[in-house]
């Protein structure tokens, strides 16, 4: 079936927006952070191509797929269905779950830089309170504002983070450019094999929890209590957890490194 011109134009616009968000040239300063990679190198956890891939596959599975992408997806679902208070509660929980000072500063600084980009380049006029909880909640607001598809938005967020980590390793291990590309290709393949099913699970869990027989009573609680209860139900359904103590330790160690190229 032929796609009409307006639909084709819409799809092209969405693709352009996704590519902008995924680009390492997006001027928000993410290249100055390593997500613990620099500390992992100094600690001997990462030393070559094989150990870099192992570390980043663990990060992808536990931090990105196990926590950040589900929270991103749930926020987008909440915003799409007009549950702004629930989206805000998810954002507050995300911010509260960042386990080191450096991760908090990274999230906030990337958000502020993104707001400057959105306001100065696109003239969107982002409300001042939205970036307070960090970069991921702001990304969810942008993706939903542009009505970007859930699965593609999650893929874009995940790829951008993985590419940044690989670039940090290429500079610091050091690795050759081809080794970095082999690692990134494997990581994006791993992400691609998971994100479709994850997107479906997020949407199903959100629909089940929001439309459950108890949801009306939950929403009739005080706003904070009701949203917190819904968050807990969603986390339980999707088995979401941000308890990654070894990663938090690596991040904290970064402050005391003898020499540093990155800020986390």
């Amino acid at each position: 079936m032929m796609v009409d011109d307006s639909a084709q134009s819409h799809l092209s616009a969405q693709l352009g927006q996704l590519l902008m968000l995924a680009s390492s040239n997006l001027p928000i300063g993410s290249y100055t952070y390593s997500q613990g990679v620099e500390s992992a190198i100094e600690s001997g956890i990462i030393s070559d191509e094989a150990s870099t891939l192992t570390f980043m596959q663990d990060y992808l599975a536990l931090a990105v797929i196990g926590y950040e992408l589900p929270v991103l997806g749930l926020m987008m679902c909440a915003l799409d269905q007009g549950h702004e208070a629930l989206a805000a509660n998810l954002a507050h929980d995300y911010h509260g779950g960042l386990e080191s000072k450096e991760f908090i500063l990274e999230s906030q600084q990337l958000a502020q830089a993104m707001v400057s980009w959105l306001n100065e380049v696109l003239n969107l006029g982002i409300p001042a309170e939205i970036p307070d909880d960090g970069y991921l909640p702001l990304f969810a607001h942008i993706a939903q504002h542009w009505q970007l598809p859930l699965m593609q938005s999650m893929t874009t967020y995940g790829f951008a983070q993985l590419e940044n980590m690989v670039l940090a390793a290429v500079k610091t291990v050091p690795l050759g450019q081809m080794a970095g590309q082999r690692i990134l290709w494997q990581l994006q393949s791993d992400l691609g094999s998971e994100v479709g099913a994850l997107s479906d699970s997020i949407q199903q869990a959100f629909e089940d929890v929001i439309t459950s027989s108890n949801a009306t009573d939950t929403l009739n609680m005080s706003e904070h209590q009701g949203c917190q209860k819904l968050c807990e139900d969603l986390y339980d359904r999707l088995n979401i957890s941000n308890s990654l103590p070894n990663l938090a330790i690596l991040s904290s160690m970064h402050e005391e490194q003898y020499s540093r190229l990155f800020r986390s």
Side-chain angles (χ1 to χ4, degrees), residues 69-84 86-87 90 140-141 143-144 147-151 153-154 198-208 210 234 238:
L69 293 187
V71 173
L72 174 65
L74 290 173
M75 282 195 66
M76 288 183 64
C77 289
L79 292 168
D80 183 57
Q81 296 192 22
H83 298 296
E84 286 83 4
L86 176 57
L90 288 163
H141 277 272
Q144 189 53 43
Q147 292 292 292
L148 299 176
L150 180 60
M151 185 178 74
S153 297
M154 292 164 58
L198 179 60
S199 173
D200 290 342
S201 296
I202 290 167
Q203 293 178 87
Q204 188 62 57
F206 189 87
E207 190 67 24
D208 290 347
I210 293 298
L234 289 165
L238 293 167

Side-chain angles (χ1 to χ4, degrees), residues 48-216:
D48 55 15
E49 181 177 343
S51 56
T52 300
L53 177 59
T54 297
F55 179 87
M56 292 186 183
Q57 284 179 318
D58 285 347
Y59 184 91
L60 170 62
L62 299 173
V64 179
I65 293 173
Y67 180 69
E68 292 202 328
L69 293 187
V71 173
L72 174 65
L74 290 173
M75 282 195 66
M76 288 183 64
C77 289
L79 292 168
D80 183 57
Q81 296 192 22
H83 298 296
E84 286 83 4
L86 176 57
N89 207 95
L90 288 163
H92 298 335
D93 277 4
Y94 168 79
H95 179 72
L98 295 171
E99 293 189 296
S100 76
K101 176 183 176 182
E102 291 212 342
F103 283 156
I104 292 171
L105 290 175
E106 174 183 357
S107 183
Q108 291 177 329
Q109 288 166 0
L110 292 183
Q112 290 297 333
M114 177 63 88
V115 167
S116 295
W117 180 79
L118 291 167
N119 289 342
E120 294 180 24
V121 176
L122 304 183
N123 297 315
L124 289 187
I126 302 297
E129 69 275 7
I130 288 179
D132 288 349
D133 288 312
Y135 181 68
L136 183 145
L138 177 61
F139 189 101
H141 277 272
I142 298 165
Q144 189 53 43
H145 174 76
W146 283 338
Q147 292 292 292
L148 299 176
L150 180 60
M151 185 178 74
Q152 286 86 338
S153 297
M154 292 164 58
T155 302
T156 298
Y157 178 90
F159 177 83
Q161 191 166 152
L162 293 169
E163 183 185 39
N164 192 64
M165 293 176 70
V166 170
L167 290 174
V170 166
K171 296 173 186 176
T172 318
V173 172
L175 297 173
Q177 289 291 334
M178 291 302 103
Q181 287 299 310
R182 284 192 294 270
I183 292 169
L184 185 58
W185 183 261
Q186 184 60 55
L187 292 172
Q188 68 85 22
S189 297
D190 294 344
L191 174 62
S193 69
E194 297 280 350
V195 74
L198 179 60
S199 173
D200 290 342
S201 296
I202 290 167
Q203 293 178 87
Q204 188 62 57
F206 189 87
E207 190 67 24
D208 290 347
V209 168
I210 293 298
T211 60
S212 70
S213 58
N214 295 323
T216 301

